[in-house]
Amino acid sequence: MKLYISIDMEGITGLVDATFVDSSKYNYTRGQRIMTAEANHVIETAFASGCREVVVNDSHSKMNNLLIEELHPETQLISGDVKPFSMVQGLDASFAGAAFLGYHTRAARKGVMSHTMIFGVRNMYIGDHAIGEMGFNAYVAGHYGVPVLLVAGDDETAQEAEELIPGVTTAIVKKRISRTSALCLTPEKSGQLLREKAAAAIASRDRVKPLTPPERPVLSIEFANYGQAEWAHLMPGTTIDEQSPIVTFQAKDVLEAYQAMLVMTELAMRTSFC
């Protein structure tokens, strides 16, 4: 059995604000160590539960945060930027399941450091369904027939996951107080929880069905500022709402929608404010 792990940073225990997740800030190296430890808890449990291969995709910011020298030696790590499929790079039909670690809630929802890809996105939709990074990534997994077995993060992230993926196992390593504060488990306690939850998720993997994406999905992104929408609209094939900062793209499948989202958000980040 092969397990795929996508690991973000905002949902790791003890990491509550930008000082832990921004490489230019003073708490970042602490964040790296705690993140790497949380990855190892799940990786080691996966191998102990019968997995023969574990691939970990570093999915935060420049995607080079994990300390490879401290990872379980049998782990394969996808590291660095730019990746054609970003947070789900390397995911394909050969995997029996996926785990999303260190995840956070989507923009416009409560949660520690909640956002969707960039801080200029207010809402993102596939059809009429609002989704965030977790939902979009789960749809890509579903495209390949891969179920999301485990989601770890704060309590709001767990709720979002359970609404999205019936039967998913969740691990709550911290409870939101505000967007930049939380009641956190210590790394030792979060490690115990992650091992228990990972073992349970793998053991009950047959109960979780892949999240099937819609055929020919329509992607809509509502930006915070109309200038961001104008930049995103430079991508061929998009339409822009004349009355609100919403850009829409008709995709042939969820993979094309995902790459369109990456291009549109990257363009939107070029907006300057004075």
Side-chain angles (χ1 to χ4, degrees):
M1 185 175 97
K2 290 174 62 178
L3 181 69
Y4 180 89
I5 298 174
S6 171
I7 183 166
D8 205 346
M9 209 166 184
E10 289 88 353
I12 302 295
T13 195
L15 280 55
V16 293
D17 58 35
T19 65
F20 291 91
V21 301
D22 182 334
S23 61
S24 68
K25 306 294 185 182
Y26 65 93
N27 275 321
Y28 173 70
T29 56
R30 293 177 62 205
Q32 285 182 286
R33 292 196 301 271
I34 301 169
M35 177 192 190
T36 303
E38 286 205 357
N40 272 332
H41 291 304
V42 176
I43 295 164
E44 290 165 7
T45 302
F47 282 122
S49 299
C51 290
R52 59 180 174 81
E53 187 174 339
V54 178
V55 175
V56 180
N57 182 29
D58 192 328
S59 298
H60 175 72
S61 189
K62 294 301 181 182
M63 303 186 177
N64 57 2
N65 312 280
L66 287 168
L67 303 174
I68 190 170
E69 63 272 24
E70 296 182 11
L71 285 176
H72 186 289
E74 297 303 316
T75 309
Q76 297 178 70
L77 173 65
I78 300 173
S79 182
D81 192 26
V82 173
K83 297 182 287 198
F85 285 95
S86 188
M87 298 180 76
V88 283
Q89 182 65 39
L91 180 56
D92 60 30
S94 68
F95 291 92
F100 294 166
L101 309 182
Y103 268 47
H104 53 81
T105 49
R106 61 181 173 84
R109 280 191 72 146
K110 295 182 293 183
V112 178
M113 292 185 276
S114 60
H115 67 279
T116 302
M117 300 305 291
I118 65 170
F119 293 112
V121 169
R122 182 176 298 156
N123 284 295
M124 192 178 293
Y125 300 90
I126 292 292
D128 295 327
H129 183 58
I131 61 168
E133 296 169 21
M134 183 198 312
F136 224 145
N137 294 344
Y139 270 146
V140 173
H143 173 84
Y144 292 113
V146 178
V148 178
L149 306 178
L150 174 67
V151 174
D154 70 8
D155 54 329
E156 300 289 346
T157 303
Q159 181 178 333
E160 184 176 329
E162 289 161 3
E163 292 169 359
L164 184 71
I165 308 163
V168 69
T169 298
T170 57
I172 299 172
V173 301
K174 57 189 174 188
K175 294 182 179 179
R176 178 199 71 93
I177 295 173
S178 70
R179 192 173 178 276
T180 52
S181 63
L183 179 66
C184 304
L185 296 180
T186 63
E188 181 176 350
K189 287 295 185 180
S190 71
Q192 292 174 8
L193 177 68
L194 287 167
R195 288 176 183 273
E196 292 169 5
K197 294 291 188 174
I202 292 169
S204 60
R205 61 188 179 277
D206 293 337
R207 293 192 300 106
V208 187
K209 303 300 181 185
L211 188 66
T212 304
E215 296 181 3
R216 292 186 52 77
V218 176
L219 167 68
S220 298
I221 303 178
E222 179 186 9
F223 293 94
N225 179 277
Y226 204 85
Q228 294 164 325
E230 289 171 334
W231 269 105
H233 180 45
L234 292 179
M235 192 185 86
T238 59
T239 59
I240 188 170
D241 190 310
E242 291 298 323
Q243 304 302 320
S244 60
I246 299 174
V247 181
T248 302
F249 178 77
Q250 171 68 70
K252 65 181 181 183
D253 59 24
V254 75
L255 299 185
E256 185 176 64
Y258 194 89
Q259 290 194 313
M261 176 272 293
L262 295 176
V263 172
M264 290 161 68
T265 52
E266 287 291 326
L267 285 169
M269 285 195 295
R270 297 179 64 86
T271 308
S272 60
F273 299 92
C274 57

